[in-house]
Amino acid sequence: MATTQPLLLNDQQMKSFITNGYLILKTDFSKEFHAGLVNQLNEIYEKEGNPGNNILPRIRDMQRVFEHPVITGALTSVLGSDYLLHTHRHGHYNSIPKPGGWHKDSYWGYSRLRNHHPWWAMIMYFPQDTPVELGPTGVMPGTQYSESRTFASDEMEEEATANGEAGTFALIHYDIWHRSTPNVLGTPRFMLKFEFMRTAAPTAPSWDNQERSWSAVPLEAGVVEPTIIGEEVWNWLSGDIGSLAGTKADDSAAIAELSNRLTGSDEPSALAAAYELAARGNGGTDALFKGLHHEDVKVSRSAAYGLSAAGAGAVDGLIYALDDSREETVNLAVFALGELRELAAAALPKLRALLDQPSVRVRRTVVDVLGMIKEPVQDVVAALIKGLQDEDTQVRFMAALSLTRIGEAAAPAIPYLETALTDENRYVRGHALEALRYMGTKEANDVLMRELFNTRWCSSTTPASTF
């Protein structure tokens, strides 16, 4: 490798990722390197089974893959330089001709509202030559913004596959629809899946950005120009919050037409209308709030995405919605406030109070967004400490993960994170370790190192070689 510096994505690659939800890239390790990985994988799967979350320490050369400048550059471009490698990772083995079902991955068992903004991404790495016949991962381009599956199972002409030589990987938006394609050759195919999280909201482009304007960047031939959602995501990644607000006329006829689309059954059209309404000033924002309180929760969800892009003018109405009697409305309002980040600091008292309410779903969303809003930091940390002690496992592990976004200012949480290291759930423990690492103080590092030393894992110990 000529450089160890991250090879950042360019504007066209970023626009393609935002539009399609994936990029197919390739590392330049030698064939011998990949052959070694595959030999190790075959031996481990045959003798020990799937190593699951221990795949990195079990196959130590895999760490070199995630230090490769093409991979670090792609992840930095999409998630910022302080991205986190999640403690869940998995090696997928496929040797059968039957395709997998189309799906979106869960957040390790956590049912949460999916982000249009790329807070999360996945890498699917193929250590062997993977022609189409060997069953690479298939993705349906552009479906990262749709909750429902808007395509039929027999409409495969649009499917993109991560086929290629050893070292090929797919960088995908976490929420894209994807599947395993049929392995008609029947020989072993490995796909190593790793998840990554953004720990800091963007304040400026983190890719090799040359063109400030979304519209000035050309798309590759044959790709359909995306809707207004893509432009909003580009602006968000560039550091703008609520960039659509007030960019179009507060026109009553246009707002009426968009409101009809918002309540329609076509999800992509409804979502595009929600973002268009976010650009239409007070009239558009009022229409979105009507949508938020609509009896159809699908309409409410689309409206919430629009409100998350509507800027400071949406904050008061969202705070008001936190008192709504319908759980779904409250949960969506919390989500939208989180996407507005520091603009929503005035919501902190009510958000903290929601940690006392019986809805576990709302409590999970609250601890998620607290680390996005971040201010006032003392109140945020106090609320997340409370989340660490919640009876619900998912509230606890999301509270710990949210603390990674706070950094050194979260030091008052150290004793509670130390307690969390004894939690029965692996992700509470794993996220607590990450929070201590991102905190970086001497006290946090002492707790971190003691735990890691006491639980150190020997990558050479197997059932056939115990000592």
Side-chain angles (χ1 to χ4, degrees), residues 211-242:
E211 290 283 358
R212 181 63 185 86
S213 170
W214 163 262
S215 60
V217 180
L219 274 173
E220 58 266 31
V223 176
V224 177
E225 185 72 23
T227 66
I228 191 173
I229 301 175
E231 180 177 5
E232 197 280 333
V233 172
W234 172 276
N235 292 340
W236 184 86
L237 283 165
S238 300
D240 296 336
I241 309 174

Side-chain angles (χ1 to χ4, degrees), residues 142-361:
T143 56
Q144 68 272 22
Y145 303 125
S146 297
E147 180 73 21
S148 57
R149 204 181 88 176
T150 56
F151 54 94
S153 60
D154 58 351
E155 293 178 350
M156 294 297 102
E157 67 274 6
E158 297 179 10
E159 182 178 10
T161 57
N163 57 289
E165 296 178 342
T168 296
F169 69 95
L171 170 69
I172 69 171
H173 188 294
Y174 193 92
D175 295 318
I176 200 167
W177 284 92
H178 61 282
R179 67 167 188 160
S180 61
T181 60
N183 181 350
V184 298
L185 298 181
T187 55
R189 183 277 278 162
F190 291 99
M191 182 275 283
L192 310 178
K193 184 186 77 175
F194 295 82
E195 303 177 4
F196 299 85
M197 189 191 83
R198 172 183 285 277
T199 62
T203 57
S206 55
W207 68 96
D208 181 16
N209 177 232
Q210 302 299 316
E211 290 283 358
R212 181 63 185 86
S213 170
W214 163 262
S215 60
V217 180
L219 274 173
E220 58 266 31
V223 176
V224 177
E225 185 72 23
T227 66
I228 191 173
I229 301 175
E231 180 177 5
E232 197 280 333
V233 172
W234 172 276
N235 292 340
W236 184 86
L237 283 165
S238 300
D240 296 336
I241 309 174
S243 63
L244 297 180
T247 56
K248 296 188 178 183
D250 189 346
D251 179 85
S252 58
I255 289 171
E257 189 274 330
L258 291 167
S259 297
N260 286 333
R261 284 172 52 196
L262 179 68
T263 58
S265 59
D266 183 89
E267 185 184 11
S269 177
L271 285 171
Y275 281 88
E276 290 279 358
L277 286 167
R280 296 281 178 176
N282 292 333
T285 302
D286 289 344
L288 287 171
F289 277 115
K290 289 180 181 178
L292 182 69
H293 294 276
H294 197 279
E295 61 183 10
D296 186 338
V297 295
K298 293 181 180 178
V299 176
S300 301
R301 184 173 61 236
S302 294
Y305 284 117
L307 289 165
S308 75
V315 171
D316 287 346
L318 289 168
I319 293 175
Y320 177 79
L322 297 179
D323 292 323
D324 198 90
S325 59
R326 187 175 69 163
E327 177 186 307
E328 186 72 30
T329 301
V330 176
N331 196 55
L332 290 167
V334 173
F335 167 83
L337 286 165
E339 291 293 342
L340 291 170
R341 303 187 336 239
E342 61 266 25
L343 298 180
L348 252 295
K350 281 197 172 183
L351 290 173
R352 289 185 66 181
L354 288 175
L355 290 177
D356 291 320
Q357 80 134 269
S359 168
V360 67
R361 187 179 181 193

Side-chain angles (χ1 to χ4, degrees), residues 1 13 19 123 131 144 217 219 243 245 285 311 346 363 385 402 448:
M1 294 176 290
Q13 288 174 308
T19 304
I123 277 182
Q144 68 272 22
V217 180
L219 274 173
S243 63
T285 302
R363 300 202 310 273
I385 287 172
S402 203
L448 177 67

